[in-house]
Amino acid sequence: MNVYLLSPAISLCGLAIVVILLDLFLKRKWILGAVSVAGLIVPAAFTLALWGREETSFNGMLAVDEFSLFFNLFFLVCAALVILASMDYVSKFRAFQGEYYALVLLAATGMMLMASTRELISVYVALELTGISLYALTGFLKDPKSSEASLKYLLLGAVASAVLLYGMAMVFGLSGSTHFKDIAAAIPGDVMGNPALLMGMVLLVAGFGFKIATVPFQMWVPDVYEGAPTPITAYLSVASKAAGFAVILRVFYEALGPVSLDWGMMFGVLAAITMTLGNVVAIAQTNIKRMLGYSSIAQAGYLMIGLAAVSALGRSGLVFFLIAYAFTNLGAFIAIIAISNKTNSDLISDYSGMAKRAPLLALALGLCLISLIGIPPTAGFMAKIYIFNAAVDHDLMWLVIVAVVNTAISAYYYLRVVRVMFLGAPLSEEAVPSSGALRAALSVACIGVLLLGVYPWALLKIAETAVSMFP
Amino acid sequence: MTVGLEHFLILSAILFSIGLYGALAKRNAVVILMSIEIMLNAVNIAMVAFSRYGHLITGQVFAIFIMVVAAAEAAVGLAIIIAIYRSRETVDVEKFDLMKW
């Protein structure tokens, strides 16, 4: 047992506790946010120090490999950007500022463990650590809308995790172990002759499908995204989704790899339905957070193409798409936070003429929306090219055609926001101010979007190494 | 007739279905939380049965973890229900329609 291998998660958890304790003594609450962001350097440093190692610890439950280390860094960057974007927002709270940051950090701890565990019990505990922190964060405003969103998220999330557990019980009963390695060795390959295993796998997909918001488990997304505090919406749409994909990659390649069922095809069909539903319903939305909620369902559909193409190219395409999507979506939400801090509205019509009131914010939001469509020279374009390439390589031409048609549909509602911002008449002449932290976070996201669009090779290489350990 | 693994699994499946029905069909948020507990306990029965008949101690450990996490989840759930009751004076999920469901 090597505790050092767990140091990123331990230090992140410790940081959360330090933030709560500081909250007791500090009078100037803005320091809490600064400490949370600065403290993230510690787990990041531990992660970088572990880079290159391939070991397991805690009786094989915890894996330290490039995949888990990559996702550690991914979640740390997401948490840092979300905290930077929250500082303005949180400073309006009268109480519980420390708890807010601590819950964001604890959710990140859970996500890190989700990506690095190789055992069903720890998958469940990590999933719930993330989930419960996020339920509390969603209801943090305690106003009717936020509480309602939180209750819906909690009830549906709890049902989903019960379903997931039932699937885990089936897999455990059939294989006699909760370790992925032993499950892969013991599980019968012929799934069609084994209805219990088939049911177990379907229930696992249902449980994880809730986390990544795929059809038919997407119904919580629009409501929760609309009601939650906007920084938490950003966090949910990026980090929580990425954690879901990380755990799916691990479970399906490491534990259920030998199963003969063509689960790639199952994900392919789900991907096609998910992206179509997300894009079509997004067209009718008038609230920008709700619209981005449906857009994130559609993006989950594109991401699942990487699961449908069961190949090294598909896996690295999925990871690269996650990076591109994280920068893009975080950027879009940070711009929305800055604008709604001033206007107190999430209606798309209230963004009219925003280019005149806040030229840089409007430009940044426009850039991120263009990247969500997938127009060059942005990250979204490179990610889509790469993941479509993987699908073509795997003879999934029909899926690529569906995805391209969907991209065309999505251009309509993304560009509508851009048009309203740049061509509409301003509702007032007041400029929209933004704080230094927000501007820093937004510039990081926008630079990420542009850099990945122009020079993606370095991160493509990292994405390829991250998934290279899967068979 | 001896009681074997399949009896426990059938009991677990029946309980799970009752819980799932309750979670999807009931209107009171507290009753939905209770239904979810039934689903989790159905899983616990399956886990312990597999553990007993397969001589695998892991199943019992898993069941204990499920109980602990379920308690945490129920605590957060009840807290959220109290928060929403303060502003809306109801726990009927059909009346939580500020946003389209």
Side-chain angles (χ1 to χ4, degrees):
Chain A
M1 193 147 86
N2 189 347
V3 179
Y4 179 59
L5 295 180
L6 197 58
S7 54
I10 293 177
S11 54
L12 190 51
C13 200
L15 178 61
I17 294 167
V18 166
V19 171
I20 290 184
L21 289 179
L22 275 180
D23 189 26
L24 290 176
F25 305 112
L26 281 178
K27 283 276 172 292
R28 276 172 293 176
K29 300 294 184 194
W30 65 268
I31 299 174
L32 293 172
V35 168
S36 313
V37 174
L40 286 174
I41 293 169
V42 180
F46 276 123
T47 306
L48 289 175
L50 286 169
W51 195 269
R53 286 169 76 151
E54 291 241 1
E55 286 174 55
T56 57
S57 181
F58 295 95
N59 198 15
M61 287 188 177
L62 176 86
V64 168
D65 44 35
E66 262 131 3
F67 184 76
S68 61
L69 294 173
F70 164 78
F71 272 102
N72 281 358
L73 284 182
F74 181 93
F75 296 131
L76 290 172
V77 171
C78 287
L81 288 177
V82 167
I83 292 172
L84 278 177
S86 308
M87 282 167 149
D88 260 8
Y89 202 86
V90 174
S91 64
K92 292 183 203 152
F93 294 175
R94 261 171 295 146
F96 306 124
Q97 297 195 13
E99 281 81 350
Y100 178 93
Y101 295 120
L103 282 171
V104 171
L105 297 173
L106 284 175
T109 315
M111 294 174 200
M112 276 167 56
L113 291 174
M114 266 164 88
S116 48
T117 174
R118 302 177 104 159
E119 200 263 353
L120 290 179
I121 300 180
S122 14
V123 166
Y124 172 63
V125 174
L127 200 87
E128 289 295 315
L129 176 57
T130 316
I132 294 177
S133 315
L134 290 175
Y135 304 148
L137 282 170
T138 305
F140 219 87
L141 299 178
K142 289 203 196 157
D143 62 7
K145 234 177 169 177
S146 168
S147 313
E148 184 181 321
S150 169
L151 183 68
K152 285 175 178 173
Y153 189 24
L154 178 123
L155 292 179
L156 291 171
V159 171
S161 62
V163 168
L164 177 75
L165 276 174
Y166 203 62
M168 284 182 177
M170 290 296 138
V171 172
F172 164 69
L174 281 167
S175 62
S177 173
T178 53
H179 287 271
F180 292 174
K181 195 159 47 68
D182 302 339
I183 292 174
I187 210 154
D190 172 30
V191 69
M192 283 309 163
N194 196 333
L197 177 60
L198 188 62
M199 189 174 89
M201 282 183 73
V202 170
L203 292 175
L204 283 182
V205 174
F208 292 135
F210 174 85
K211 210 74 203 149
I212 61 171
T214 162
V215 168
F217 312 104
Q218 89 299 352
M219 60 287 199
W220 59 278
V221 169
D223 287 356
V224 172
Y225 280 25
E226 187 183 342
T230 317
I232 300 308
T233 310
Y235 202 35
L236 279 174
S237 73
V238 173
S240 165
K241 207 181 276 275
F245 275 103
V247 81
I248 286 181
L249 279 175
R250 269 223 194 264
V251 170
F252 277 81
Y253 280 101
E254 287 196 345
L256 302 173
V259 171
S260 64
L261 180 74
D262 186 6
W263 45 262
M265 190 45 99
M266 176 176 69
F267 280 118
V269 174
L270 281 179
I273 304 173
T274 305
M275 63 178 93
T276 311
L277 182 123
N279 279 324
V280 170
V281 185
I283 293 176
Q285 302 307 317
T286 53
N287 181 312
I288 194 158
K289 275 165 84 179
R290 221 176 155 81
M291 186 200 91
L292 282 178
Y294 281 107
S295 128
S296 87
I297 296 175
Q299 302 283 338
Y302 301 137
L303 279 160
M304 273 196 291
I305 297 177
L307 293 175
V310 190
S311 64
L313 208 54
R315 294 190 293 264
S316 57
L318 169 60
V319 170
F320 183 72
F321 201 115
L322 276 176
I323 307 172
Y325 170 70
F327 280 122
T328 309
N329 226 29
L330 282 174
F333 272 112
I334 293 167
I336 289 171
I337 293 167
I339 292 171
S340 66
N341 267 350
K342 173 72 186 170
T343 60
N344 281 324
S345 161
D346 294 324
L347 292 179
I348 295 175
S349 52
D350 287 344
Y351 281 66
S352 178
M354 204 43 85
K356 296 196 181 68
R357 297 172 67 186
L360 283 177
L361 282 178
L363 199 64
L365 183 54
L367 175 75
C368 292
L369 291 176
I370 282 173
S371 173
L372 281 173
I373 306 173
I375 297 177
T378 55
F381 172 69
M382 280 297 167
K384 271 195 179 149
I385 289 286
Y386 200 67
I387 212 161
F388 289 175
N389 179 29
V392 171
D393 219 48
H394 202 255
D395 286 336
L396 286 168
M397 205 56 211
W398 65 273
L399 190 54
V400 175
I401 292 171
V402 173
V404 170
V405 171
N406 263 292
T407 305
I409 299 175
S410 74
Y412 170 74
Y413 61 85
Y414 289 128
L415 287 179
R416 187 182 57 183
V417 179
V418 176
R419 196 194 67 211
V420 165
M421 283 196 305
F422 283 88
L423 300 178
L427 295 177
S428 77
E429 294 303 317
E430 268 181 284
V432 176
S434 51
S435 75
L438 267 176
R439 265 178 274 162
L442 190 55
S443 5
V444 170
C446 287
I447 290 170
V449 169
L450 282 175
L451 200 64
L452 284 179
V454 182
Y455 188 75
W457 319 117
L459 269 165
L460 266 176
K461 190 109 193 67
I462 295 176
E464 273 162 22
T465 18
V467 293
S468 59
M469 47 63 136
F470 290 116
Chain B
M1 189 186 85
T2 52
V3 177
L5 177 60
E6 59 266 45
H7 296 91
F8 286 104
L9 291 186
I10 290 167
L11 171 69
S12 148
I14 292 172
L15 272 182
F16 190 83
S17 311
I18 293 173
L20 190 59
Y21 169 78
L24 297 177
K26 292 290 167 188
R27 295 170 56 176
N28 187 318
V30 180
V31 177
I32 296 178
L33 266 188
M34 286 159 64
S35 305
I36 292 165
E37 294 299 314
I38 296 180
M39 291 168 78
L40 291 173
N41 283 324
V43 175
N44 280 343
I45 290 176
M47 288 283 183
V48 174
F50 281 131
S51 160
R52 165 75 177 73
Y53 288 93
H55 304 287
L56 308 156
I57 198 72
T58 327
Q60 297 179 29
V61 177
F62 209 146
I64 289 173
F65 270 98
I66 294 174
M67 285 180 207
V68 172
V69 174
E73 205 163 42
V76 174
L78 289 172
I80 292 170
I81 291 175
I82 289 173
I84 202 164
Y85 184 78
R86 280 197 184 133
S87 59
R88 309 283 286 275
E89 307 230 317
T90 174
V91 290
D92 184 344
V93 286
E94 306 245 311
K95 296 217 172 77
F96 299 151
D97 54 0
L98 277 184
M99 294 165 290
K100 285 165 283 178
W101 174 243

